[in-house]
Amino acid sequence: MNNNKLNTQHHYVIIGAGMAGILAAIKLREAGKHNVRVYEKADRIGGTWRENTYPGLSCDVPSHSYTYSFEPNSEWTRHLPPGPEVQAYFESVVAKYQLEEIISFNEEITDCRFKNNQWHISTSKGNSDCADFVIAATGVLHHPRIPHIDGMEKFKGKIFHSARWDHSAPLENKRIAVIGTGSTGVQIVTALAECAAQLCHYQRTPQWIMPVVNAEFSEAEKALFRNDPVALKSIQNDPELEANIERFSVAITEPDSAAMHEIENIVRENLENSISDPELRERLRPNYRAACKRLIYSESFYQVVQQSNVEVLSEGVDTIEENGIRSADGTLREFDIIVLATGFQADRFMRPMRITGENDITLEQAWADRPTAYMSVSIPEFPNLFMLNGPNGPVGNFSLIEIAEQQWHYISQLMSLVESAQYQKVSASQTALEDFDKARIIAAKKSIFGSGCQSWYLDAQGIPATWPWTRAKFKEAMQKPDLSAYCLA
Ligand code: NAP
């Protein structure tokens, strides 16, 4: 029992001012906890929405779902929000809750060590801090994966990763290569086809494409949402959309379900009906199951790749030379710009930060096999440190905001055990994590993500690193922590 802290304010440190960090800061202050500091390595809030500024950037989760439950937004312009609008939404929320005053910008946490029941923190500016709780809201996809392609350094034009877009590079009438066919590559190609003189999409692996209609909200609809909070809430909690998302969630966990076969039929028909040239159709046909990689939603990708200025190349990139790319078949194509839409190192989470828990165990040691966390939020021997959108959480084509809110509901109950001075520290037990991981891995291998394709969902051993059960089951699990899974001292 610890009574020292009963009447004092605990100090909370949040790592990262992206979607999840903003959520944590708002929730803490709402609960009357004002001793909060957010460390942000960049000069602005927004996380992934700050870092990705590529042409065509859009969110494939419906706008009103990609919204904090407590901050509905009547002004979304489209069913799927354009990236800059998402960034503007987060900026408006930060302004409304006056969070800027508690964010230290351009200050990266470099070291975090648990000693005497507190986290001792060092930052890139040489400052130190001491926190009772650390909330790691560092995001998943923030370390660009830059491939090593022979000759890259010789290229005389502009070459950059999709998340480091070089806005000084003119695009109009340029010869552009895009390497990578993930959600990012597909969005970029779709956007650049409008302005490029020649656009080559280097495809190592084809993707299934889910058709979607991304309609604008009319002025009348926006006025309704503005003036009628019930209408706004009901689009945010649209039961039809909710049912669709749940069906998708069942589909990815049960690859033989009717829901998954329905998805497969839709994407297959989309390919058959949209691509007229049989040779191109076969080039675009994946040889793995739909949704094994993150499913791509696009209104017009298949139309765009049939434009005369666009070519999908499956020969493979061999080398980059000073004027362009030499394919594996020996052909040299000249370009002004090469875009690396090659994804992210999805296993980094809080790293490269050094984090040391109890008994001098480092995060690198704890995660030697794979990044893992009990219920996706807590790591044994790292007490009073919780993650939002950490490893093993639900991923798929649904809103990570909703997931982070559910995680917050769960984490705040764990923190209250310490806040109320019942205990000094709380972290998942090793046994609980091992049992969780065992069950998780068995289920994950059976999920669609484990059905035989390469993707960023897989860990270094090729096992899906995801929450393998349904989204509804996650929500249920986040209702109340099972305290027998935790070490409380
Ligand atoms: P990604 O899904 O990991 O795709 C990377 C692409 O680059 C793949 O096509 C990969 O080919 C290719 N690639 C990697 N290294 C290569 C190399 N050396 N040579 C040739 N090709 C190479 O990355 P992403 O497209 O950036 O998307 C990552 C995630 O970000 C998405 O899954 C999604 O969760 C999120 N995202 C979301 C939205 C949205 O609308 N909400 C938009 C963009 C991104 P292989 O398939 O052969 O490995």
Side-chain angles (χ1 to χ4, degrees), residues 67-117:
T67 303
Y68 295 121
S69 60
F70 52 88
E71 258 326 306
N73 174 22
S74 55
E75 307 308 313
W76 292 119
T77 59
R78 290 186 167 274
H79 283 257
L80 304 177
E85 241 178 77
V86 179
Q87 173 69 14
Y89 168 73
F90 288 126
E91 281 172 5
S92 72
V93 172
V94 166
K96 175 173 173 183
Y97 288 84
Q98 299 178 338
L99 296 183
E100 295 256 353
E101 62 194 36
I102 58 164
I103 305 176
S104 297
F105 288 104
N106 297 309
E107 187 155 16
E108 188 168 0
I109 293 181
T110 51
D111 198 271
C112 247
R113 179 177 283 272
F114 192 75
K115 216 166 68 187
N116 301 330
N117 295 335

Side-chain angles (χ1 to χ4, degrees), residues 451-464:
S451 67
C453 71
Q454 259 307 320
S455 82
W456 66 265
Y457 291 155
L458 305 183
D459 66 21
Q461 281 96 42
I463 298 165

Side-chain angles (χ1 to χ4, degrees), residues 409-428:
H409 178 71
Y410 179 95
I411 287 169
S412 55
Q413 295 173 63
L414 291 171
M415 289 198 298
S416 75
L417 298 169
V418 176
E419 289 160 345
S420 64
Q422 264 180 286
Y423 299 99
Q424 292 176 304
K425 51 192 179 182
V426 51
S427 60

